[in-house]
Amino acid sequence: MTRPIADLDVPPPLHRAQVVDLVARQRDARRVEESVAKLRWLLAHPTPATAGELAEYRHLLYDADPDASVPAFPYPNPQETS
């Protein structure tokens, strides 16, 4: 004898809004997984920075321009360290 449908583990049907929400969440999850995979690859395969990139990083950390009134981070000058 077969079991009635009510006894089976059948999930209830989804409404259109639920389907749209589910698909959106699945797409978001896929994008996150792709981003994580890309980040893991970049961390596993580092590339050295070029001279221009290093200069740009130094510029971001410490604005050594002569017209700068206040540096980004107050580094001690040679008189303060001795």
Side-chain angles (χ1 to χ4, degrees):
M1 180 174 153
T2 59
R3 293 178 10 193
I5 293 178
D7 291 344
L8 298 177
D9 295 327
V10 178
L14 297 175
H15 296 288
R16 181 174 176 78
Q18 291 173 313
V19 172
V20 169
D21 183 52
L22 177 63
V23 170
R25 283 189 281 127
Q26 289 173 341
R27 284 185 184 150
D28 291 343
R30 188 193 77 226
R31 287 188 195 116
V32 168
E33 285 300 319
E34 289 172 356
S35 296
V36 168
K38 183 177 180 180
L39 179 60
R40 285 187 178 147
W41 187 91
L42 288 171
L43 291 173
H45 301 88
T47 56
T50 64
E53 290 172 335
L54 291 175
E56 205 44 49
Y57 294 147
R58 283 192 300 272
H59 176 73
L60 290 172
L61 290 175
Y62 180 72
D63 191 4
D65 293 336
D67 62 346
S69 59
V70 179
F73 297 100
Y75 289 105
N77 59 28
Q79 292 88 11
E80 293 174 327
T81 56
S82 55

